[in-house]
Amino acid sequence: MRIQTFIPAPLLAMGLSLFGLPAQAENLDLLMSDVFPQDLAAYIGHESVERQDIPEASPVERKYLIVDFRFTDQMPAGDQLQASVHKACKALLENRELIRSLSDSGYDMVSVAFDRRSQFDCL
């Protein structure tokens, strides 16, 4: 069982700067803050996660990034939720410089989350 810890964006940005990721964290925070109107969903931060199910000696990267949002009302169902996932992922994927930078930093997957139970993979 994996326990997720969400770190406030400014604190995470400071921590990422120690690992050579300050520009990515800053760009990611700015980009994601504008994806949804504030009355629909709020960007609350991102988290770097290391997958424990992949052996350390594996050539496959173990790190992935979770970009976290919360809906201001209840979570939409079905097609509306899928459209929100698509919108957040599209905003990430269209920023090629950010994706290249994340890839160069060892991230092989980015997911979006709208609650603490579910994650949706972008790439």
Side-chain angles (χ1 to χ4, degrees), residues 35-42 70-74 76 84 87 114:
V35 170
F36 297 104
Q38 288 300 319
D39 61 338
L40 177 62
R70 290 296 181 270
F71 288 105
T72 52
D73 292 327
Q74 64 183 4
S84 296
K87 185 173 184 173
F114 292 97

Side-chain angles (χ1 to χ4, degrees), residues 5-79:
T5 304
F6 291 92
I7 302 169
L11 183 59
L12 183 61
M14 276 183 13
L16 288 177
S17 68
L18 297 175
F19 299 106
L21 295 174
Q24 293 95 314
E26 232 175 76
N27 291 344
L28 184 62
D29 289 339
L30 291 173
L31 179 67
M32 294 292 99
S33 293
D34 292 333
V35 170
F36 297 104
Q38 288 300 319
D39 61 338
L40 177 62
Y43 169 69
I44 62 170
H46 60 276
E47 175 185 12
S48 178
V49 177
E50 188 170 325
R51 294 181 54 182
Q52 300 300 316
D53 60 327
I54 298 176
E56 286 186 39
S58 172
V60 175
E61 293 292 345
R62 295 168 39 109
K63 291 192 310 185
Y64 72 99
L65 193 69
I66 301 172
V67 179
D68 200 24
F69 297 90
R70 290 296 181 270
F71 288 105
T72 52
D73 292 327
Q74 64 183 4
M75 185 167 346
D79 290 343

Side-chain angles (χ1 to χ4, degrees), residues 4 6 28 32 35-36 43 45-46 64-71 81-93 109-115 117-123:
Q4 292 181 326
F6 291 92
L28 184 62
M32 294 292 99
V35 170
F36 297 104
Y43 169 69
H46 60 276
Y64 72 99
L65 193 69
I66 301 172
V67 179
D68 200 24
F69 297 90
R70 290 296 181 270
F71 288 105
L81 177 59
Q82 187 63 32
S84 296
V85 170
H86 177 74
K87 185 173 184 173
C89 289
K90 185 177 175 185
L92 281 165
L93 295 173
M109 186 169 71
V110 177
S111 298
V112 295
F114 292 97
D115 63 24
R117 297 180 311 262
S118 305
Q119 297 173 12
F120 303 91
D121 295 343
C122 293
L123 62 108

